[in-house]
Amino acid sequence: MDRRRVGLTLVLLLLADSANGQACGGMLTAPGTATSPNYPNDYNTDETCEWTINVPEGSLVLLTFDSFETDDDYDFLYIYNGGSDTAPLLQSFSGDTIPGPITGTTNQMFLRFTSDGSGTYPGFQFSYTATDTQVCGGILSAPPGGTVTSPNYPSNYPNSAICLWTITVPEGSLVLLTFHSFETDEDYDFLYIYDGGSDSALLLNSFTGATIPDPLTSITNQMLLLFTSDGDDTYPGFQASYTAADTPVCGGILSAPHGGTVATPNYSGNYPNYATCHWTITVPEGSIVLLTFDSFETDSDSDFLYIYDGGRYSRLRPWSFSGEKKFIPDPIISTSNQMLLLFTSDYYDTYPGFQASYTAAVDRCADGSHNCAPQETCYNTADSFTCAVCQDPLGMQSGAIPDGSITASSTYDSDTVPYLARLYGRGGWESEDSNLGDWLQVDLGEIKKVTGTITQGVSSGEYWVKSYKLQHSTDGASWTTYANSEGTEKVFIGNTDYYTPVTNLLDNAVEARYVRFLPQTWESYMSMRAEILGCNLRVDECAGGTNNCSPQATCSDTPESFTCTCNPGYIGNGVTCTGKGIFYLLLSVCCQALWHIRTDN
């Protein structure tokens, strides 16, 4: 058969498949309509379809469903408030309840549909267009303030609702939210409160059930409320009033050097349910914040103290603590002159909470009083400082390593996914069956020098890894198990509880992009949090300004070092460059002219 005819046949077959609904996902520009595969016939098993919807800047995506029917609790449609799955999740849908109209807060929306290996159904059809207003929620301001309620209040809110309210008060003020009633389907329908104008900001707290939350204030001059309901029972919802405030209703704006004490409300009696408290500690410029705990006792994995390195929310070195009479956290040291503390409690058990003292400390690493060698990094400690060579945290705790770069051989459930395995993070990773051979893997993004690890158990209970091996790879395909100097695979000593971090330094550094933890023994379940220590393979002297090139030279980075080349009009070895003078310039021009005459002839 003619090759052109074969090619045409293949193209026509592909087009026919697309016309019959086989195409799955795509980039969409409003307005339009999209469906699950094969709609209105049943979709296939083991489907994964992704759509990204775009509308003009300044507009919002409006999603309207015409039908919806999937295998309940097994096949899901996830909707994200942005252009990818790194954006905040607005809602997930499963079953046969048709969702109401949905808008986000940006000009993009990302949808992912997944089906498992069992039953299939017709799926869904939705239309998408641009809009200027929220279908549920609104843009609010204070003064004058006002009231916000769930849809249909005081009657029951609808199924599959997604509502967003953004509240703004003048710069320098805080948003004060006071609840008058609250009743939702416990553990299924939620109100999320964010500090800022989007749901990618700091989550202050989330509420569900029938307990009326205490008043709460924002940290900045904006607050975002996100209400979601599922496809089952509905309730009256909530009513709250909002206004501007000057100070936090729980917490405070604190300063040193005199220092002071910070404690949960009612300490040392039990703190209340649904408390949301935040403290901003500021010390003089050039100093750092030292936080020392006197006591700590909260409802484990339910009530948390979060600490951020800076005066506002940042993923730079966040810490989280939760637990019942198990430990007192080590002193916390900031890297700047500010520290933010956020305490949240849920609607279950309450405990005495915590008390800590804060003061200003000398930044020995910044004031030049340390004696670290040029190749060492200085780290402040509670009493002084320490020097280390290539032992920088590589990004698990700080969030510099993206969620998608943390993977595992298996996962127990959605609450123990790999990206929760960040040192001091909330929760942790747990293997599905806790079998020998299961692993947690971290992609560092590029080949780095790896010099050590830090591990913790998970904050959700009495689970930790007692011992583990390490594997490393430069390409993710060929793996080497770390061995001691005798060539025996090394088994690292892990944790003895779920909260104390344990550091293991390698006898010999390795160069790797990928690092795998292979637990060998564990307490109850294979569960862990981790950090990887090391540094970049080499310094870019040209970018870092540590080269010795002349100001009249160009620095060029090389795999091993760098080179210096004198700029045009200068001569020398690159470290020293001197002007050529008018004679050399004229000679250069003449030589170039003679060369062109010769080549033209």
Side-chain angles (χ1 to χ4, degrees), residues 16 25 35-36 48 51 55 91-92 126 179 190 257 265 268 323 326 400 419 476 479 560 597:
T35 68
S36 51
T48 299
W51 297 266
V55 298
Q91 183 62 290
S92 61
F126 63 84
F179 286 89
F190 287 87
S268 58
K326 297 295 183 182
Y419 65 78
W479 292 88
E560 298 299 328
I597 292 171

Short mmCIF file of all heavy atoms in Angstrom, two decimals, residues 16 25 35-36 48 51 55 91-92 126 179 190 257 265 268 323 326 400 419 476 479 560 597:
data_model
loop_
_atom_site.label_atom_id
_atom_site.label_comp_id
_atom_site.label_asym_id
_atom_site.label_seq_id
_atom_site.Cartn_x
_atom_site.Cartn_y
_atom_site.Cartn_z
N ALA A 16 -11.06 10.32 14.05
CA ALA A 16 -12.31 9.65 14.39
C ALA A 16 -12.38 9.35 15.87
O ALA A 16 -13.41 9.52 16.52
CB ALA A 16 -12.45 8.34 13.58
N GLY A 25 -8.69 15.44 28.05
CA GLY A 25 -8.02 16.61 28.56
C GLY A 25 -7.57 17.55 27.47
O GLY A 25 -7.84 17.35 26.29
N THR A 35 -16.13 17.20 28.22
CA THR A 35 -16.77 16.03 28.79
C THR A 35 -15.72 15.03 29.24
O THR A 35 -14.56 15.09 28.83
CB THR A 35 -17.70 15.33 27.77
OG1 THR A 35 -16.90 14.74 26.73
CG2 THR A 35 -18.69 16.31 27.17
N SER A 36 -16.15 14.07 30.05
CA SER A 36 -15.31 12.92 30.36
C SER A 36 -15.20 12.05 29.12
O SER A 36 -16.03 12.16 28.19
CB SER A 36 -15.92 12.13 31.53
OG SER A 36 -17.29 11.85 31.28
N THR A 48 -6.85 9.02 33.40
CA THR A 48 -6.35 10.24 34.01
C THR A 48 -6.43 11.33 32.95
O THR A 48 -5.73 11.27 31.94
CB THR A 48 -4.90 10.11 34.51
OG1 THR A 48 -4.83 9.09 35.51
CG2 THR A 48 -4.43 11.42 35.13
N TRP A 51 -7.44 19.03 32.28
CA TRP A 51 -7.80 20.20 31.49
C TRP A 51 -7.29 21.46 32.18
O TRP A 51 -7.39 21.58 33.41
CB TRP A 51 -9.32 20.34 31.36
CG TRP A 51 -10.03 19.22 30.65
CD1 TRP A 51 -10.36 19.14 29.34
CD2 TRP A 51 -10.55 18.02 31.27
NE1 TRP A 51 -11.02 17.97 29.08
CE2 TRP A 51 -11.16 17.25 30.24
CE3 TRP A 51 -10.54 17.51 32.56
CZ2 TRP A 51 -11.77 16.03 30.47
CZ3 TRP A 51 -11.13 16.28 32.80
CH2 TRP A 51 -11.74 15.56 31.77
N VAL A 55 -9.04 32.12 30.80
CA VAL A 55 -9.87 33.24 30.39
C VAL A 55 -9.00 34.49 30.46
O VAL A 55 -7.90 34.46 31.00
CB VAL A 55 -11.12 33.38 31.31
CG1 VAL A 55 -12.00 32.15 31.20
CG2 VAL A 55 -10.72 33.64 32.75
N GLN A 91 -12.12 21.87 45.29
CA GLN A 91 -13.08 20.84 45.68
C GLN A 91 -12.83 19.59 44.85
O GLN A 91 -12.24 19.67 43.76
CB GLN A 91 -14.53 21.35 45.47
CG GLN A 91 -15.64 20.43 45.90
CD GLN A 91 -15.67 20.10 47.37
OE1 GLN A 91 -14.79 19.37 47.85
NE2 GLN A 91 -16.65 20.63 48.11
N SER A 92 -13.28 18.45 45.35
CA SER A 92 -13.27 17.20 44.58
C SER A 92 -14.68 16.63 44.58
O SER A 92 -15.39 16.73 45.60
CB SER A 92 -12.27 16.21 45.16
OG SER A 92 -12.60 15.88 46.49
N PHE A 126 -19.47 19.63 31.22
CA PHE A 126 -19.50 20.96 31.80
C PHE A 126 -19.18 22.00 30.72
O PHE A 126 -18.52 21.70 29.72
CB PHE A 126 -18.51 21.09 32.97
CG PHE A 126 -17.06 20.91 32.59
CD1 PHE A 126 -16.30 21.95 32.09
CD2 PHE A 126 -16.45 19.67 32.76
CE1 PHE A 126 -14.97 21.78 31.76
CE2 PHE A 126 -15.12 19.49 32.43
CZ PHE A 126 -14.38 20.55 31.93
N PHE A 179 -18.02 34.92 64.79
CA PHE A 179 -19.08 34.00 64.39
C PHE A 179 -20.27 34.10 65.34
O PHE A 179 -20.12 34.17 66.56
CB PHE A 179 -18.56 32.55 64.39
CG PHE A 179 -17.65 32.25 63.24
CD1 PHE A 179 -16.28 32.47 63.35
CD2 PHE A 179 -18.17 31.77 62.05
CE1 PHE A 179 -15.44 32.19 62.29
CE2 PHE A 179 -17.33 31.50 60.99
CZ PHE A 179 -15.96 31.71 61.10
N PHE A 190 -16.66 22.13 55.03
CA PHE A 190 -15.66 22.91 55.75
C PHE A 190 -15.70 24.39 55.38
O PHE A 190 -16.02 24.75 54.24
CB PHE A 190 -14.25 22.39 55.43
CG PHE A 190 -13.91 21.08 56.08
CD1 PHE A 190 -14.25 19.88 55.45
CD2 PHE A 190 -13.27 21.03 57.30
CE1 PHE A 190 -13.94 18.67 56.03
CE2 PHE A 190 -12.96 19.82 57.89
CZ PHE A 190 -13.29 18.63 57.26
N PRO A 257 14.40 43.97 73.05
CA PRO A 257 15.25 42.98 73.71
C PRO A 257 14.84 42.56 75.10
O PRO A 257 15.40 41.61 75.63
CB PRO A 257 16.61 43.67 73.74
CG PRO A 257 16.30 45.11 73.80
CD PRO A 257 15.06 45.29 72.99
N PRO A 265 -4.08 30.53 75.17
CA PRO A 265 -5.13 31.11 76.02
C PRO A 265 -5.51 30.14 77.15
O PRO A 265 -5.53 28.93 76.97
CB PRO A 265 -6.29 31.34 75.04
CG PRO A 265 -5.99 30.51 73.83
CD PRO A 265 -4.52 30.41 73.76
N SER A 268 -2.47 27.90 82.62
CA SER A 268 -2.23 26.49 82.36
C SER A 268 -3.49 25.65 82.46
O SER A 268 -3.42 24.42 82.53
CB SER A 268 -1.20 25.97 83.35
OG SER A 268 -1.69 26.18 84.69
N GLY A 323 1.55 17.44 70.37
CA GLY A 323 1.81 16.25 71.17
C GLY A 323 1.36 16.40 72.60
O GLY A 323 1.15 17.51 73.08
N LYS A 326 4.81 14.65 75.70
CA LYS A 326 5.85 13.82 75.13
C LYS A 326 7.20 14.50 75.11
O LYS A 326 8.23 13.84 75.23
CB LYS A 326 5.47 13.43 73.69
CG LYS A 326 4.19 12.59 73.59
CD LYS A 326 4.38 11.24 74.26
CE LYS A 326 3.15 10.38 74.11
NZ LYS A 326 3.29 9.10 74.79
N ALA A 400 11.83 24.37 49.48
CA ALA A 400 12.56 24.61 48.24
C ALA A 400 12.48 23.41 47.30
O ALA A 400 12.53 23.56 46.08
CB ALA A 400 14.02 24.95 48.54
N TYR A 419 4.87 13.98 49.96
CA TYR A 419 5.32 15.35 50.17
C TYR A 419 5.07 15.86 51.59
O TYR A 419 5.53 16.95 51.95
CB TYR A 419 4.69 16.30 49.14
CG TYR A 419 3.19 16.48 49.23
CD1 TYR A 419 2.61 17.28 50.20
CD2 TYR A 419 2.35 15.87 48.30
CE1 TYR A 419 1.24 17.46 50.27
CE2 TYR A 419 0.98 16.05 48.35
CZ TYR A 419 0.43 16.83 49.34
OH TYR A 419 -0.93 17.00 49.40
N GLY A 476 18.48 8.74 38.44
CA GLY A 476 17.20 8.16 38.81
C GLY A 476 17.00 6.75 38.29
O GLY A 476 15.94 6.14 38.53
N TRP A 479 21.21 2.98 40.73
CA TRP A 479 21.24 3.31 42.16
C TRP A 479 22.42 2.63 42.85
O TRP A 479 22.78 1.50 42.53
CB TRP A 479 19.94 2.89 42.85
CG TRP A 479 18.78 3.70 42.39
CD1 TRP A 479 17.97 3.46 41.31
CD2 TRP A 479 18.30 4.90 42.97
NE1 TRP A 479 17.02 4.44 41.19
CE2 TRP A 479 17.20 5.34 42.20
CE3 TRP A 479 18.69 5.66 44.08
CZ2 TRP A 479 16.49 6.49 42.51
CZ3 TRP A 479 17.97 6.81 44.38
CH2 TRP A 479 16.89 7.21 43.60
N GLU A 560 34.99 23.11 36.12
CA GLU A 560 35.92 22.95 37.23
C GLU A 560 36.19 24.23 38.00
O GLU A 560 36.43 24.21 39.20
CB GLU A 560 37.26 22.40 36.70
CG GLU A 560 37.13 21.03 36.04
CD GLU A 560 36.62 19.98 37.01
OE1 GLU A 560 36.91 20.08 38.21
OE2 GLU A 560 35.91 19.06 36.57
N ILE A 597 40.12 42.62 2.62
CA ILE A 597 40.53 42.83 1.22
C ILE A 597 41.07 41.54 0.64
O ILE A 597 40.76 41.15 -0.50
CB ILE A 597 41.61 43.95 1.14
CG1 ILE A 597 40.96 45.30 1.50
CG2 ILE A 597 42.25 43.99 -0.25
CD1 ILE A 597 41.96 46.42 1.66
#
